[in-house]
Amino acid sequence: MKVHVIGGGVIGLCSAYYLQKAGHEVTILDKGDFLAGCSFGNAGMIVPSHFVPLASPGVIAKGLRWMFSASSPFYIKPRLDLQLAQWLWHFYRACTPEKVRSAMPIIRDLNQGSRLLYQALSAELAVPFDLENKGLLMMFRTPKGEKEEVGGAEMANELGVKAKVLTASEIANLEKGTQLQARGGVLYPGDSHLSPHLFMKAMVTQLEAAGVKFLPKTSLTAWETQKGQITHLQTDSGERIKVEQVVLAAGSWSQKILQSLGITMPIQDGKGYSITLSSPNERPSIPSILSEDKVAITPMGEDLRFGGTLELGGMSRKVNPKRVQGIINSLPQYYPNIHLPHQRDVDIWVGFRPCSPDGLPYIGRSNQVPNLVLAGGHAMMGMSLGPITGKLIAEIISEQKPSIDLSLLQPERYG
Ligand SMILES: Cc1cc2nc3c(=O)[nH]c(=O)nc-3n(C[C@H](O)[C@H](O)[C@H](O)COP(=O)(O)OP(=O)(O)OC[C@H]3O[C@@H](n4cnc5c(N)ncnc54)[C@H](O)[C@@H]3O)c2cc1C
Protein backbone atom coordinates (compact mmCIF):
# COMPACT_ATOMS: atom_id res chain seq x y z
CA MET A 1 0.00 0.00 0.00
CA LYS A 2 1.13 3.61 -0.59
CA VAL A 3 1.34 5.48 2.70
CA HIS A 4 2.08 9.19 3.23
CA VAL A 5 3.33 10.12 6.69
CA ILE A 6 2.92 13.79 7.67
CA GLY A 7 5.47 14.88 10.28
CA GLY A 8 9.02 13.64 10.65
CA GLY A 9 9.47 13.72 14.41
CA VAL A 10 10.19 10.53 16.31
CA ILE A 11 6.58 9.34 15.88
CA GLY A 12 6.56 9.93 12.11
CA LEU A 13 10.01 8.39 11.54
CA CYS A 14 9.23 5.31 13.64
CA SER A 15 5.90 4.91 11.82
CA ALA A 16 7.74 5.11 8.50
CA TYR A 17 10.26 2.52 9.72
CA TYR A 18 7.74 -0.15 10.70
CA LEU A 19 5.50 0.64 7.70
CA GLN A 20 8.43 0.15 5.33
CA LYS A 21 9.39 -3.07 7.14
CA ALA A 22 5.82 -4.32 6.69
CA GLY A 23 6.21 -3.87 2.93
CA HIS A 24 4.44 -0.55 2.36
CA GLU A 25 5.61 2.15 -0.04
CA VAL A 26 6.28 5.10 2.28
CA THR A 27 6.67 8.84 1.65
CA ILE A 28 7.30 11.14 4.60
CA LEU A 29 6.94 14.90 4.52
CA ASP A 30 7.88 17.54 7.04
CA LYS A 31 7.78 21.30 7.12
CA GLY A 32 11.33 21.20 8.48
CA ASP A 33 14.35 19.06 7.65
CA PHE A 34 13.69 15.97 9.83
CA LEU A 35 16.52 16.93 12.15
CA ALA A 36 14.91 19.57 14.34
CA GLY A 37 11.73 19.81 16.40
CA CYS A 38 10.70 18.34 19.69
CA SER A 39 12.20 14.93 19.00
CA PHE A 40 15.73 16.33 18.64
CA GLY A 41 16.71 18.09 21.85
CA ASN A 42 14.70 16.20 24.45
CA ALA A 43 16.11 14.36 27.47
CA GLY A 44 16.32 10.99 25.68
CA MET A 45 14.92 8.94 28.55
CA ILE A 46 13.14 5.68 27.76
CA VAL A 47 10.83 5.43 30.71
CA PRO A 48 8.88 2.33 31.73
CA SER A 49 9.06 4.05 35.15
CA HIS A 50 6.60 6.71 33.94
CA PHE A 51 3.30 4.85 34.08
CA VAL A 52 1.29 7.60 35.85
CA PRO A 53 -0.36 9.98 33.35
CA LEU A 54 0.26 13.72 33.63
CA ALA A 55 -3.42 14.19 34.52
CA SER A 56 -3.61 12.67 37.99
CA PRO A 57 -5.12 13.54 41.39
CA GLY A 58 -3.23 16.35 43.16
CA VAL A 59 -1.62 17.71 40.01
CA ILE A 60 -4.08 20.60 39.66
CA ALA A 61 -3.43 21.92 43.19
CA LYS A 62 0.33 21.61 42.59
CA GLY A 63 0.01 23.30 39.20
CA LEU A 64 -1.91 26.23 40.70
CA ARG A 65 0.83 26.73 43.31
CA TRP A 66 3.51 26.64 40.62
CA MET A 67 1.64 29.22 38.53
CA PHE A 68 2.58 31.87 41.10
CA SER A 69 6.32 31.23 40.99
CA ALA A 70 8.32 32.71 38.12
CA SER A 71 10.98 29.99 38.25
CA SER A 72 8.66 27.00 38.80
CA PRO A 73 8.55 24.08 36.34
CA PHE A 74 4.94 24.74 35.22
CA TYR A 75 3.04 27.64 33.73
CA ILE A 76 -0.08 28.34 31.68
CA LYS A 77 -0.08 31.64 29.82
CA PRO A 78 -3.46 33.18 30.71
CA ARG A 79 -5.35 33.89 27.47
CA LEU A 80 -8.76 33.70 25.83
CA ASP A 81 -8.44 30.51 23.85
CA LEU A 82 -11.37 28.12 23.43
CA GLN A 83 -9.13 25.13 22.60
CA LEU A 84 -7.08 25.71 25.76
CA ALA A 85 -10.27 26.05 27.86
CA GLN A 86 -11.64 22.79 26.42
CA TRP A 87 -8.29 21.03 26.95
CA LEU A 88 -8.18 22.18 30.60
CA TRP A 89 -11.74 20.96 31.15
CA HIS A 90 -10.86 17.50 29.76
CA PHE A 91 -7.66 17.52 31.83
CA TYR A 92 -9.64 18.31 35.00
CA ARG A 93 -12.06 15.45 34.25
CA ALA A 94 -9.17 13.03 33.72
CA CYS A 95 -7.65 13.72 37.16
CA THR A 96 -9.61 11.02 39.01
CA PRO A 97 -8.18 7.91 40.71
CA GLU A 98 -10.38 5.66 38.50
CA LYS A 99 -9.17 7.23 35.23
CA VAL A 100 -5.54 7.03 36.38
CA ARG A 101 -5.95 3.39 37.46
CA SER A 102 -7.29 2.43 34.04
CA ALA A 103 -4.58 4.42 32.20
CA MET A 104 -1.57 3.02 34.11
CA PRO A 105 -1.47 -0.55 32.69
CA ILE A 106 -1.66 0.67 29.09
CA ILE A 107 1.10 3.26 29.61
CA ARG A 108 3.22 0.53 31.25
CA ASP A 109 2.62 -1.89 28.37
CA LEU A 110 3.38 0.73 25.73
CA ASN A 111 6.59 1.74 27.51
CA GLN A 112 7.82 -1.81 28.11
CA GLY A 113 7.02 -2.80 24.53
CA SER A 114 8.85 0.26 23.21
CA ARG A 115 11.92 -0.34 25.34
CA LEU A 116 12.22 -3.85 23.88
CA LEU A 117 11.90 -2.43 20.39
CA TYR A 118 14.72 0.03 21.14
CA GLN A 119 16.96 -2.90 22.10
CA ALA A 120 16.17 -4.50 18.73
CA LEU A 121 16.68 -1.18 16.90
CA SER A 122 20.16 -0.78 18.37
CA ALA A 123 21.09 -3.93 16.43
CA GLU A 124 19.01 -3.11 13.32
CA LEU A 125 20.10 0.50 12.65
CA ALA A 126 23.43 0.99 10.94
CA VAL A 127 24.23 4.18 12.91
CA PRO A 128 24.60 3.86 16.72
CA PHE A 129 22.55 6.17 18.92
CA ASP A 130 24.13 5.81 22.40
CA LEU A 131 21.46 3.46 23.81
CA GLU A 132 22.34 2.59 27.40
CA ASN A 133 20.47 0.49 29.94
CA LYS A 134 21.54 2.08 33.22
CA GLY A 135 18.10 2.70 34.70
CA LEU A 136 16.70 6.00 35.94
CA LEU A 137 17.23 7.63 39.32
CA MET A 138 14.41 9.72 40.79
CA MET A 139 16.00 11.88 43.51
CA PHE A 140 14.35 13.96 46.24
CA ARG A 141 15.55 16.46 48.83
CA THR A 142 12.45 17.10 50.96
CA PRO A 143 10.13 14.90 53.09
CA LYS A 144 7.31 15.76 50.66
CA GLY A 145 9.39 14.64 47.70
CA GLU A 146 10.29 11.47 49.57
CA LYS A 147 6.63 10.65 50.27
CA GLU A 148 5.75 11.15 46.61
CA GLU A 149 8.63 9.11 45.21
CA VAL A 150 8.46 6.25 47.73
CA GLY A 151 4.69 6.06 47.10
CA GLY A 152 5.47 5.93 43.37
CA ALA A 153 7.95 3.09 43.94
CA GLU A 154 5.32 1.07 45.83
CA MET A 155 2.82 1.56 43.00
CA ALA A 156 5.50 0.60 40.47
CA ASN A 157 6.32 -2.66 42.22
CA GLU A 158 2.59 -3.49 42.45
CA LEU A 159 2.31 -2.89 38.70
CA GLY A 160 5.30 -5.10 37.94
CA VAL A 161 7.73 -2.23 37.24
CA LYS A 162 10.89 -2.76 39.30
CA ALA A 163 11.78 0.10 41.68
CA LYS A 164 14.33 0.21 44.51
CA VAL A 165 14.26 2.88 47.22
CA LEU A 166 17.78 4.21 48.00
CA THR A 167 19.04 5.99 51.12
CA ALA A 168 21.15 9.16 51.10
CA SER A 169 24.36 7.15 51.56
CA GLU A 170 23.42 4.67 48.82
CA ILE A 171 22.89 7.65 46.49
CA ALA A 172 26.24 9.16 47.53
CA ASN A 173 28.02 5.90 46.59
CA LEU A 174 26.19 5.29 43.34
CA GLU A 175 28.42 7.13 40.89
CA LYS A 176 32.17 6.84 40.45
CA GLY A 177 33.73 10.20 39.60
CA THR A 178 30.61 12.29 40.16
CA GLN A 179 29.63 13.69 43.51
CA LEU A 180 25.96 13.09 44.18
CA GLN A 181 23.86 14.18 47.16
CA ALA A 182 20.18 13.77 47.97
CA ARG A 183 17.88 12.95 50.84
CA GLY A 184 17.19 9.72 48.98
CA GLY A 185 15.94 8.34 45.71
CA VAL A 186 14.30 5.56 43.78
CA LEU A 187 16.18 3.59 41.15
CA TYR A 188 14.16 2.21 38.24
CA PRO A 189 16.59 -0.33 36.75
CA GLY A 190 14.33 -1.08 33.75
CA ASP A 191 14.70 2.37 32.16
CA SER A 192 17.14 3.25 29.37
CA HIS A 193 18.46 6.37 27.69
CA LEU A 194 19.84 7.45 24.33
CA SER A 195 20.94 10.51 22.35
CA PRO A 196 17.76 11.61 20.57
CA HIS A 197 19.57 13.63 17.87
CA LEU A 198 21.64 10.54 16.98
CA PHE A 199 18.55 8.32 16.98
CA MET A 200 16.78 10.69 14.60
CA LYS A 201 19.83 10.78 12.29
CA ALA A 202 20.13 6.98 12.45
CA MET A 203 16.48 6.62 11.49
CA VAL A 204 16.73 9.06 8.56
CA THR A 205 19.85 7.26 7.26
CA GLN A 206 18.18 3.85 7.58
CA LEU A 207 14.93 4.93 5.96
CA GLU A 208 16.69 6.63 3.04
CA ALA A 209 18.73 3.48 2.44
CA ALA A 210 15.54 1.39 2.54
CA GLY A 211 13.94 3.52 -0.18
CA VAL A 212 11.55 5.67 1.88
CA LYS A 213 10.89 8.92 0.00
CA PHE A 214 11.63 12.10 1.99
CA LEU A 215 9.99 15.45 1.24
CA PRO A 216 11.75 18.01 3.47
CA LYS A 217 10.59 21.63 3.77
CA THR A 218 7.15 20.55 2.62
CA SER A 219 4.22 21.74 4.68
CA LEU A 220 0.75 20.26 4.41
CA THR A 221 -1.59 23.20 3.88
CA ALA A 222 -4.91 21.57 2.97
CA TRP A 223 -6.67 18.24 2.47
CA GLU A 224 -8.72 17.32 -0.57
CA THR A 225 -11.47 14.81 0.14
CA GLN A 226 -14.03 12.88 -1.82
CA LYS A 227 -16.81 10.76 -0.29
CA GLY A 228 -15.23 11.19 3.15
CA GLN A 229 -11.76 9.93 2.12
CA ILE A 230 -8.61 11.99 1.64
CA THR A 231 -7.65 11.99 -2.04
CA HIS A 232 -4.86 14.60 -2.18
CA LEU A 233 -2.58 16.60 0.09
CA GLN A 234 -1.94 20.21 -0.84
CA THR A 235 1.43 21.61 0.15
CA ASP A 236 2.97 25.06 0.53
CA SER A 237 4.92 24.57 -2.68
CA GLY A 238 1.64 24.35 -4.58
CA GLU A 239 1.93 20.60 -5.10
CA ARG A 240 -1.09 18.23 -5.04
CA ILE A 241 -0.01 14.82 -3.82
CA LYS A 242 -2.33 11.89 -4.57
CA VAL A 243 -2.70 9.58 -1.56
CA GLU A 244 -4.07 6.17 -0.59
CA GLN A 245 -3.40 5.95 3.18
CA VAL A 246 -2.28 8.88 5.36
CA VAL A 247 -0.63 8.88 8.79
CA LEU A 248 -0.74 12.20 10.66
CA ALA A 249 2.14 12.51 13.12
CA ALA A 250 2.51 16.29 13.30
CA GLY A 251 3.04 16.59 17.07
CA SER A 252 1.75 19.81 18.62
CA TRP A 253 0.52 21.05 15.23
CA SER A 254 -1.89 18.12 14.74
CA GLN A 255 -5.05 19.61 16.25
CA LYS A 256 -4.92 22.66 13.98
CA ILE A 257 -4.22 20.51 10.91
CA LEU A 258 -7.24 18.31 11.67
CA GLN A 259 -9.68 21.18 12.10
CA SER A 260 -10.68 21.41 8.43
CA LEU A 261 -11.52 17.68 8.45
CA GLY A 262 -13.88 18.26 11.39
CA ILE A 263 -11.81 15.99 13.66
CA THR A 264 -11.37 16.99 17.31
CA MET A 265 -8.11 15.74 18.83
CA PRO A 266 -7.20 18.15 21.66
CA ILE A 267 -3.47 18.83 21.95
CA GLN A 268 -1.68 21.60 23.84
CA ASP A 269 1.99 22.39 23.33
CA GLY A 270 3.90 21.75 26.56
CA LYS A 271 6.95 23.92 25.99
CA GLY A 272 10.17 22.72 27.59
CA TYR A 273 13.83 23.75 27.51
CA SER A 274 17.07 21.82 27.44
CA ILE A 275 20.73 22.75 27.71
CA THR A 276 23.58 20.49 26.62
CA LEU A 277 27.02 20.77 28.23
CA SER A 278 29.81 19.35 26.08
CA SER A 279 32.39 17.39 28.04
CA PRO A 280 31.40 18.63 31.52
CA ASN A 281 33.95 18.33 34.36
CA GLU A 282 31.77 15.61 35.95
CA ARG A 283 29.32 13.45 34.05
CA PRO A 284 27.06 11.02 35.91
CA SER A 285 26.45 7.71 34.14
CA ILE A 286 22.88 7.20 35.36
CA PRO A 287 20.19 9.64 34.16
CA SER A 288 18.16 11.29 36.90
CA ILE A 289 15.05 13.32 37.54
CA LEU A 290 15.09 15.84 40.38
CA SER A 291 11.70 15.20 41.87
CA GLU A 292 10.74 18.56 43.40
CA ASP A 293 12.14 20.60 40.49
CA LYS A 294 11.02 18.29 37.66
CA VAL A 295 14.42 18.59 36.01
CA ALA A 296 15.79 15.73 33.90
CA ILE A 297 19.55 15.09 33.58
CA THR A 298 20.88 12.70 30.97
CA PRO A 299 24.42 11.69 30.02
CA MET A 300 24.63 11.51 26.21
CA GLY A 301 27.93 10.23 24.87
CA GLU A 302 30.53 12.67 26.23
CA ASP A 303 27.88 15.33 26.90
CA LEU A 304 25.38 16.04 29.62
CA ARG A 305 21.90 17.34 28.86
CA PHE A 306 19.51 18.79 31.39
CA GLY A 307 16.05 20.16 30.85
CA GLY A 308 12.58 20.71 32.15
CA THR A 309 9.55 23.01 32.57
CA LEU A 310 6.16 22.60 30.99
CA GLU A 311 4.57 25.81 29.77
CA LEU A 312 1.25 25.90 27.95
CA GLY A 313 1.99 29.07 26.06
CA GLY A 314 0.36 28.82 22.63
CA MET A 315 3.39 27.74 20.58
CA SER A 316 5.55 30.69 21.54
CA ARG A 317 9.27 29.97 21.08
CA LYS A 318 10.20 32.79 23.45
CA VAL A 319 12.61 31.65 26.16
CA ASN A 320 11.67 32.60 29.71
CA PRO A 321 15.06 33.24 31.40
CA LYS A 322 13.62 32.86 34.93
CA ARG A 323 12.39 29.36 34.21
CA VAL A 324 15.68 28.43 32.56
CA GLN A 325 17.46 29.76 35.65
CA GLY A 326 15.13 27.60 37.78
CA ILE A 327 16.44 24.55 35.87
CA ILE A 328 20.09 25.62 36.22
CA ASN A 329 19.73 26.41 39.94
CA SER A 330 18.33 22.97 40.75
CA LEU A 331 21.45 21.08 39.64
CA PRO A 332 24.01 22.05 42.32
CA GLN A 333 21.62 20.85 45.01
CA TYR A 334 22.24 17.29 43.78
CA TYR A 335 25.45 17.53 41.76
CA PRO A 336 27.50 20.08 43.74
CA ASN A 337 30.69 19.72 41.66
CA ILE A 338 29.40 20.12 38.13
CA HIS A 339 30.54 23.48 36.72
CA LEU A 340 27.52 25.22 35.26
CA PRO A 341 27.81 28.02 32.71
CA HIS A 342 25.88 31.26 32.83
CA GLN A 343 22.73 30.95 30.75
CA ARG A 344 23.83 33.76 28.40
CA ASP A 345 26.74 31.49 27.35
CA VAL A 346 24.68 28.45 26.37
CA ASP A 347 22.27 27.53 23.59
CA ILE A 348 18.82 26.98 25.01
CA TRP A 349 16.83 24.47 23.04
CA VAL A 350 13.03 24.82 22.97
CA GLY A 351 10.61 22.00 22.21
CA PHE A 352 6.83 21.58 22.24
CA ARG A 353 5.57 18.37 23.84
CA PRO A 354 2.27 17.39 22.21
CA CYS A 355 0.07 16.96 25.30
CA SER A 356 -3.31 15.22 25.30
CA PRO A 357 -5.58 16.13 28.23
CA ASP A 358 -5.68 12.62 29.76
CA GLY A 359 -1.96 11.89 29.35
CA LEU A 360 -2.64 9.05 26.91
CA PRO A 361 -1.44 9.21 23.32
CA TYR A 362 -3.78 9.13 20.36
CA ILE A 363 -3.13 6.02 18.27
CA GLY A 364 -5.70 4.67 15.84
CA ARG A 365 -7.63 4.97 12.62
CA SER A 366 -10.03 7.87 12.33
CA ASN A 367 -13.71 6.91 12.49
CA GLN A 368 -14.64 9.88 10.34
CA VAL A 369 -11.99 9.65 7.62
CA PRO A 370 -11.25 5.97 7.03
CA ASN A 371 -7.96 6.37 5.15
CA LEU A 372 -6.45 8.53 7.91
CA VAL A 373 -4.49 7.06 10.83
CA LEU A 374 -3.55 9.32 13.75
CA ALA A 375 -0.51 9.18 16.01
CA GLY A 376 0.14 11.97 18.51
CA GLY A 377 -0.29 13.47 21.95
CA HIS A 378 2.64 11.60 23.52
CA ALA A 379 3.51 14.57 25.77
CA MET A 380 6.62 13.82 27.88
CA MET A 381 6.93 10.26 26.58
CA GLY A 382 7.17 10.64 22.82
CA MET A 383 10.79 9.57 22.63
CA SER A 384 10.04 6.54 24.79
CA LEU A 385 6.95 5.53 22.88
CA GLY A 386 8.18 6.19 19.33
CA PRO A 387 8.98 2.59 18.34
CA ILE A 388 5.85 0.99 19.82
CA THR A 389 3.69 3.70 18.24
CA GLY A 390 5.34 3.09 14.88
CA LYS A 391 4.79 -0.65 15.18
CA LEU A 392 1.12 -0.16 16.09
CA ILE A 393 0.61 2.25 13.19
CA ALA A 394 2.07 -0.34 10.80
CA GLU A 395 -0.27 -2.98 12.24
CA ILE A 396 -3.28 -0.67 11.81
CA ILE A 397 -2.40 0.21 8.21
CA SER A 398 -1.74 -3.49 7.45
CA GLU A 399 -5.15 -4.31 8.97
CA GLN A 400 -3.64 -6.64 11.54
CA LYS A 401 -4.90 -6.94 15.10
CA PRO A 402 -2.87 -4.39 17.10
CA SER A 403 -0.43 -6.09 19.48
CA ILE A 404 -1.69 -3.80 22.32
CA ASP A 405 -5.35 -3.01 23.05
CA LEU A 406 -5.93 0.50 21.68
CA SER A 407 -9.44 1.17 22.99
CA LEU A 408 -8.31 3.86 25.48
CA LEU A 409 -6.16 5.54 22.82
CA GLN A 410 -8.89 6.15 20.23
CA PRO A 411 -8.00 9.50 18.61
CA GLU A 412 -11.58 10.80 18.42
CA ARG A 413 -12.40 10.03 22.06
CA TYR A 414 -13.28 13.69 22.73
CA GLY A 415 -16.03 13.80 20.10
C1 LIG B 1 12.51 19.44 27.45
C2 LIG B 1 11.90 18.15 26.93
C3 LIG B 1 12.38 16.95 27.38
C4 LIG B 1 11.81 15.74 26.97
N1 LIG B 1 12.34 14.58 27.38
C5 LIG B 1 11.79 13.41 26.98
C6 LIG B 1 12.35 12.17 27.43
O1 LIG B 1 13.32 12.15 28.15
N2 LIG B 1 11.74 11.02 27.04
C7 LIG B 1 10.64 11.03 26.24
O2 LIG B 1 10.10 9.96 25.97
N3 LIG B 1 10.13 12.18 25.75
C8 LIG B 1 10.67 13.36 26.11
N4 LIG B 1 10.15 14.55 25.66
C9 LIG B 1 8.94 14.52 24.83
C10 LIG B 1 9.26 14.18 23.37
O3 LIG B 1 10.31 14.99 22.91
C11 LIG B 1 8.00 14.39 22.52
O4 LIG B 1 6.92 13.70 23.08
C12 LIG B 1 8.22 13.89 21.09
O5 LIG B 1 9.36 14.47 20.54
C13 LIG B 1 7.01 14.17 20.22
O6 LIG B 1 7.28 13.63 18.97
P1 LIG B 1 6.32 13.88 17.74
O7 LIG B 1 6.91 13.15 16.59
O8 LIG B 1 4.91 13.59 18.11
O9 LIG B 1 6.36 15.46 17.51
P2 LIG B 1 7.51 16.38 16.88
O10 LIG B 1 8.85 15.88 17.21
O11 LIG B 1 7.17 17.78 17.27
O12 LIG B 1 7.30 16.18 15.33
C14 LIG B 1 6.21 16.70 14.64
C15 LIG B 1 6.69 17.08 13.26
O13 LIG B 1 5.58 17.47 12.47
C16 LIG B 1 6.03 18.48 11.57
N5 LIG B 1 4.88 19.24 11.09
C17 LIG B 1 4.05 20.01 11.81
N6 LIG B 1 3.11 20.57 11.03
C18 LIG B 1 3.35 20.13 9.76
C19 LIG B 1 2.74 20.36 8.49
N7 LIG B 1 1.65 21.16 8.35
N8 LIG B 1 3.27 19.75 7.41
C20 LIG B 1 4.36 18.96 7.50
N9 LIG B 1 4.99 18.71 8.69
C21 LIG B 1 4.48 19.28 9.79
C22 LIG B 1 6.98 19.33 12.43
O14 LIG B 1 7.89 20.04 11.62
C23 LIG B 1 7.67 18.25 13.28
O15 LIG B 1 8.92 17.85 12.72
C24 LIG B 1 10.71 15.77 26.05
C25 LIG B 1 10.26 16.99 25.56
C26 LIG B 1 10.83 18.18 25.98
C27 LIG B 1 10.32 19.48 25.44
Side-chain angles (χ1 to χ4, degrees):
M1 222 174 289
K2 284 190 179 157
V3 188
H4 283 78
V5 178
I6 300 155
V10 65
I11 302 299
L13 290 180
C14 288
S15 299
Y17 181 79
Y18 291 100
L19 283 163
Q20 192 279 331
K21 255 186 127 179
H24 300 289
E25 196 182 311
V26 184
T27 302
I28 179 161
L29 54 114
D30 196 285
K31 66 189 177 79
D33 61 0
F34 299 97
L35 295 173
C38 191
S39 304
F40 202 70
N42 63 58
M45 294 177 174
I46 311 304
V47 286
S49 59
H50 283 43
F51 51 84
V52 180
L54 180 61
S56 55
V59 81
I60 292 183
K62 195 188 267 179
L64 285 173
R65 278 197 305 277
W66 275 337
M67 283 285 288
F68 295 100
S69 160
S71 58
S72 79
F74 177 73
Y75 181 68
I76 303 176
K77 185 177 168 204
R79 58 198 193 272
L80 281 175
D81 177 337
L82 184 61
Q83 285 184 351
L84 172 65
Q86 286 167 338
W87 188 96
L88 289 170
W89 171 242
H90 294 308
F91 182 85
Y92 166 74
R93 287 177 43 106
C95 288
T96 66
E98 301 71 43
K99 292 259 170 69
V100 170
R101 253 197 307 278
S102 62
M104 286 191 322
I106 174 99
I107 301 181
R108 174 203 57 196
D109 293 350
L110 289 168
N111 259 311
Q112 290 185 340
S114 215
R115 182 175 181 265
L116 286 177
L117 291 173
Y118 267 119
Q119 308 303 317
L121 283 166
S122 73
E124 287 164 27
L125 302 191
V127 179
F129 51 92
D130 288 343
L131 181 69
E132 297 215 50
N133 303 306
K134 299 254 168 88
L136 171 68
L137 185 60
M138 303 290 298
M139 290 195 284
F140 47 82
R141 56 182 163 78
T142 62
K144 212 166 159 207
E146 177 167 13
K147 194 167 169 231
E148 207 169 286
E149 293 308 331
V150 173
E154 281 163 12
M155 264 201 300
N157 284 320
E158 275 168 32
L159 209 64
V161 176
K162 276 192 192 144
K164 188 173 185 280
V165 178
L166 303 180
T167 61
S169 65
E170 284 172 321
I171 298 263
N173 293 321
L174 206 57
E175 293 276 5
K176 286 191 187 75
T178 301
Q179 198 183 332
L180 199 53
Q181 64 186 32
R183 179 183 174 91
V186 177
L187 182 67
Y188 288 89
D191 282 20
S192 303
H193 67 280
L194 50 76
S195 296
H197 50 291
L198 295 185
F199 179 73
M200 299 292 284
K201 275 186 198 150
M203 268 290 179
V204 170
T205 308
Q206 198 82 10
L207 291 172
E208 277 175 343
V212 168
K213 190 172 169 198
F214 280 76
L215 301 177
K217 306 224 183 300
T218 305
S219 187
L220 170 77
T221 49
W223 312 94
E224 282 183 35
T225 58
Q226 222 172 54
K227 296 184 186 147
Q229 302 250 23
I230 300 166
T231 56
H232 294 82
L233 308 176
Q234 289 181 15
T235 73
D236 55 348
S237 55
E239 235 186 316
R240 278 179 78 230
I241 304 172
K242 193 169 180 306
V243 295
E244 280 178 23
Q245 294 283 320
V246 179
V247 175
L248 181 71
S252 295
W253 294 266
S254 303
Q255 178 171 18
K256 200 163 164 231
I257 293 175
L258 287 169
Q259 257 170 354
S260 61
L261 287 175
I263 295 175
T264 305
M265 197 174 89
I267 290 186
Q268 284 294 315
D269 52 297
K271 181 165 77 174
Y273 306 112
S274 79
I275 294 170
T276 307
L277 299 183
S278 12
S279 307
N281 63 311
E282 281 189 5
R283 189 171 50 83
S285 64
I286 304 172
S288 64
I289 293 183
L290 314 182
S291 177
E292 290 87 351
D293 311 284
K294 305 291 172 225
V295 167
I297 294 140
T298 317
M300 291 182 184
E302 294 302 306
D303 300 341
L304 187 66
R305 179 169 296 168
F306 52 97
T309 80
L310 196 147
E311 296 174 36
L312 303 183
M315 303 292 270
S316 156
R317 288 210 157 264
K318 204 171 156 201
V319 173
N320 180 327
K322 288 197 175 136
R323 273 174 225 290
V324 173
Q325 201 55 44
I327 297 175
I328 296 175
N329 291 348
S330 66
L331 258 82
Q333 304 186 66
Y334 296 85
Y335 300 95
N337 283 354
I338 296 181
H339 299 159
L340 292 166
H342 193 281
Q343 68 165 290
R344 69 170 170 255
D345 300 325
V346 288
D347 288 332
I348 298 159
W349 174 85
V350 176
F352 299 115
R353 304 173 185 90
C355 300
S356 69
D358 57 8
L360 290 170
Y362 301 108
I363 304 175
R365 193 177 279 284
S366 162
N367 294 328
Q368 295 175 66
V369 182
N371 64 338
L372 175 66
V373 175
L374 299 156
H378 294 73
M380 32 256 293
M381 282 183 281
M383 201 67 216
S384 298
L385 301 183
I388 192 72
T389 303
K391 184 164 181 273
L392 289 163
I393 294 298
E395 289 167 353
I396 295 166
I397 294 274
S398 309
E399 295 189 352
Q400 291 166 0
K401 186 172 181 285
S403 44
I404 290 182
D405 178 14
L406 299 179
S407 35
L408 286 179
L409 312 184
Q410 216 293 317
E412 284 143 326
R413 58 186 179 269
Y414 292 103

